[in-house]
Amino acid sequence: MRIQHKLFVSFLAAGISLVLLMFVAIQWSLTRGLVEFVNTKDRDSLTSFVAALERGYRREQSWQWIAGRQRTLHDLYKAQVIDKHPNFVPPTSGPEHQGVRRPGDERFAPPKAGPRPPEFEPRPTSDAVAGIERRGPLPRNRPAQISLLDSDKQLVVGGQRYKVSDNWLNIEVDGKIVGYVVFPKRHGINDGYALELLEQQRIAYIIISLCLVALTVVVALPLASNLVRPIKALAAFMDRLAKGEYQQRLSLKRNDELGQLSRDANELAATLEEAESARKRWLADISHELRTPIAVMKGEMEAVIDGVRPLDIAQVQSSYQETLRLQRLVEDLYELASNDIGALKYRKEEIDLAELLSDDLTQYQHILSVADLTLHSKLGDDSVMVWADGDRLTQLMVNLMSNCAKYAKDGSAVWLTLEAQDSHVQITVADDGHGVADEHLPQLFEHLYRVEDSRNRKTGGSGLGLAICKKIVEGHGGAIVATKAEQGGLQVRIELPIAGFLNH
């Protein structure tokens, strides 16, 4: 499945899930609210009924007048609840209403077993009696569902089943609870206007939910396409990059992660382009460097073969020098390549850099004496401990001194300085030759780089000495930089971390 389709399905699934969750939550909340509302209305509808029971108890000072009399409870409920309901319409006169109980009818006189409260005004005994119209549901509670308990919660009259979780209404006389009216509590909507309202709302929510799902589809399609568009552009860019088209650049004007990814991809392309250019230049320089000694040796051998030159010891020595030059070049190339692939090993230990430089001063002076240069050193008397490979540091300094001997012949001296600072030590090698132009300074440590007017092949250098120096310094966690010296020539400054300040 394509990523665009996956995004669309994900957005659609998330939208449908949210809509369903909202639908269920609203239905639950609405049902719960309606149930609580109906229960409240049920309690409120019995207010006058409870008041009539209170008046009856206050008059009789007991529940004997209603104890066990379900019919009396029924009539009282009719009089105080049903007949007083705002949607109740009493029957009219006419022959079709013959037999309907009316106020004062002898058939409905109070039983002789006890007095009857004045609140009783007989009403029709059935909800189906003709002449009764309903403009809305009457109260749900019926006398069969209502129980009257005394103050000890013993049944006086009514249904035999009641629970602690039912609705309990206190009957109070002179501030004292004399009984309880108990009727079932609703736990759901099963009839009446509340059920009709709930069904209407459920249908409305279903329609709204379907509209929201359709809106999710409408929004998800362009959104998925908009998110995938830059990804497709990045994929095409990477495909061209894999084919070697490093000069291309990606233009995504975005401020999000995709925009950052496009900028990183452009930086990768620039880096690869630079690396490819360096690789081509590196191969060209290496082939040129190897070709020079080989061409010299080939010419000399052809001259000997053709009889132009005699085969004597001088000719052999000349060929031998070219062989040595070729060997040095190959060794330098091998060392640089080994460092690049991580095969150049360092045997590091804690050594005194000042002592190491002091011990090698004679060797440095011997290298410089070939060019009639004098070495001036300032190493100090204090120990400077570094975590380093002593042989590699010696190789570093020998390369720097050899570089001075080759390219500072117009000078007179070389200055070697060691200075310890807070977290690192600084080594400075400077000469008083004619130096290097500012535009060449940043490139001095590149492979096979030479400054045309002074750094040429006549000196016998391979152009790799300073590049090796840079690799050694970086292998020790340090930095090397070339600047103009105060004495007028070239200055190379090296910074190495002091032992304890480098995570080795």
Side-chain angles (χ1 to χ4, degrees):
M1 183 183 293
R2 300 173 59 184
I3 188 171
Q4 182 174 354
H5 298 158
K6 291 182 179 179
L7 287 174
F8 171 73
V9 172
S10 299
F11 292 148
L12 184 59
I16 293 175
S17 300
L18 290 176
V19 169
L20 289 177
L21 182 62
M22 180 192 69
F23 176 79
V24 172
I26 291 178
Q27 284 294 306
W28 175 81
S29 177
L30 179 61
T31 303
R32 182 181 179 185
L34 283 176
V35 169
E36 185 63 29
F37 173 77
V38 171
N39 282 321
T40 301
K41 294 295 291 183
D42 286 346
R43 289 192 296 269
D44 292 344
S45 67
L46 295 179
T47 302
S48 59
F49 175 67
V50 172
L53 289 173
E54 290 176 351
R55 289 192 294 272
Y57 185 91
R58 182 180 290 108
R59 182 181 60 254
E60 303 295 332
Q61 293 298 313
S62 71
W63 294 115
Q64 291 299 322
W65 62 275
I66 198 173
R69 299 179 179 181
Q70 187 69 26
R71 186 60 175 271
T72 302
L73 181 69
H74 178 275
D75 291 343
L76 182 61
Y77 179 85
K78 288 288 186 179
Q80 299 298 325
V81 178
I82 300 297
D83 296 355
K84 291 185 178 181
H85 193 273
N87 292 328
F88 176 79
V89 177
T92 58
S93 59
E96 68 274 14
H97 300 294
Q98 296 298 323
V100 175
R101 292 181 299 174
R102 301 182 181 281
D105 196 328
E106 296 179 354
R107 292 176 296 171
F108 306 108
K112 298 181 178 181
R116 198 168 188 177
E119 288 85 355
F120 284 75
E121 293 187 8
R123 291 291 184 265
T125 60
S126 173
D127 294 340
V129 174
I132 298 179
E133 298 179 2
R134 293 208 171 98
R135 295 171 298 193
L138 294 175
R140 176 182 69 95
N141 298 296
R142 297 293 183 263
Q145 298 174 304
I146 297 177
S147 300
L148 174 62
L149 309 181
D150 60 16
S151 58
D152 296 327
K153 299 182 179 180
Q154 298 299 317
L155 181 65
V156 176
V157 65
Q160 298 296 321
R161 294 183 178 180
Y162 55 89
K163 299 179 293 184
V164 177
S165 59
D166 288 342
N167 288 306
W168 289 64
L169 298 179
N170 298 338
I171 302 175
E172 297 184 7
V173 175
D174 299 329
K176 180 181 178 181
I177 297 178
V178 297
Y180 303 92
V181 172
V182 183
F183 59 94
K185 179 182 292 186
R186 289 181 186 255
H187 298 285
I189 304 299
N190 301 318
D191 56 9
Y193 281 169
L195 180 61
E196 184 178 350
L197 174 62
L198 188 62
E199 292 296 332
Q200 292 176 352
Q201 291 299 313
R202 182 177 291 111
I203 295 174
Y205 289 146
I206 291 176
I207 295 175
I208 293 174
S209 299
L210 293 176
C211 293
L212 289 177
V213 171
L215 180 62
T216 302
V217 174
V218 173
V219 173
L221 279 174
L223 182 59
S225 177
N226 182 60
L227 289 176
V228 170
R229 191 179 300 112
I231 297 177
K232 290 181 178 179
L234 279 169
F237 176 82
M238 290 300 177
D239 183 64
R240 294 193 301 270
L241 204 62
K243 295 178 180 178
E245 300 178 15
Y246 304 132
Q247 72 282 357
Q248 63 168 333
R249 295 295 181 270
L250 185 63
S251 177
L252 289 180
K253 297 180 180 180
R254 301 173 66 101
N255 296 323
D256 54 7
E257 289 80 0
L258 291 175
Q260 180 62 44
L261 183 59
S262 68
R263 290 188 288 270
D264 294 340
N266 287 334
E267 292 181 5
L268 174 61
T271 302
L272 291 175
E273 184 180 14
E274 183 180 351
E276 179 65 14
S277 177
R279 184 185 67 84
K280 293 178 180 179
R281 186 174 65 252
W282 170 252
L283 291 175
D285 290 342
I286 290 176
S287 61
H288 188 71
E289 291 294 332
L290 293 175
R291 184 176 60 181
T292 300
I294 293 175
V296 172
M297 294 173 62
K298 179 182 178 183
E300 292 178 351
M301 290 180 182
E302 287 177 349
V304 172
I305 293 173
D306 294 340
V308 177
R309 290 185 181 181
L311 182 59
D312 53 14
I313 190 64
Q315 185 63 41
V316 174
Q317 288 179 347
S318 176
S319 298
Y320 180 69
Q321 292 298 324
E322 293 299 328
T323 304
L324 291 178
R325 179 183 175 188
L326 184 61
Q327 180 184 6
R328 289 194 299 270
L329 177 61
V330 172
E331 289 177 351
D332 289 345
L333 289 173
Y334 176 77
E335 187 168 359
L336 284 173
S338 298
N339 186 84
D340 289 338
I341 65 176
L344 191 60
K345 303 299 182 181
Y346 294 92
R347 297 179 177 86
K348 296 181 181 180
E349 59 182 351
E350 194 170 299
I351 62 175
D352 186 350
L353 184 57
E355 181 180 354
L356 176 66
L357 296 178
S358 298
D359 293 342
D360 292 339
L361 285 178
T362 303
Q363 182 181 0
Y364 304 155
Q365 182 60 58
H366 177 73
I367 296 173
L368 296 174
S369 63
V370 178
D372 295 328
L373 295 173
T374 303
L375 178 63
H376 301 282
S377 62
K378 183 180 178 182
L379 305 179
D381 298 328
D382 297 331
S383 298
V384 180
M385 307 305 295
V386 295
W387 184 259
D389 185 334
D391 293 336
R392 291 297 179 185
L393 291 185
T394 297
Q395 180 185 4
L396 166 66
M397 298 307 301
V398 167
N399 283 353
L400 291 178
M401 295 302 171
S402 299
N403 189 74
C404 292
K406 293 173 184 177
Y407 305 112
K409 291 182 178 180
D410 53 340
S412 60
V414 175
W415 285 264
L416 173 62
T417 305
L418 176 66
E419 182 180 0
Q421 299 182 1
D422 293 337
S423 61
H424 64 275
V425 58
Q426 179 174 293
I427 305 172
T428 304
V429 178
D431 62 64
D432 58 354
H434 69 276
V436 179
D438 292 340
E439 63 269 18
H440 297 296
L441 291 176
Q443 286 82 33
L444 287 182
F445 299 100
E446 293 183 2
H447 301 162
L448 301 172
Y449 184 82
R450 290 189 179 89
V451 179
E452 292 298 329
D453 57 354
S454 63
R455 299 171 184 263
N456 50 61
R457 295 181 182 85
K458 294 180 181 180
T459 61
S462 64
L464 297 174
L466 291 180
I468 294 175
C469 291
K470 182 180 180 181
K471 295 296 183 182
I472 294 175
V473 172
E474 290 177 348
H476 286 80
I480 184 170
V481 63
T483 60
K484 279 191 171 296
E486 296 180 357
Q487 296 82 357
L490 177 68
Q491 174 180 284
V492 177
R493 185 176 68 253
I494 302 169
E495 292 184 355
L496 296 175
I498 295 178
F501 289 88
L502 175 67
N503 293 326
H504 50 272

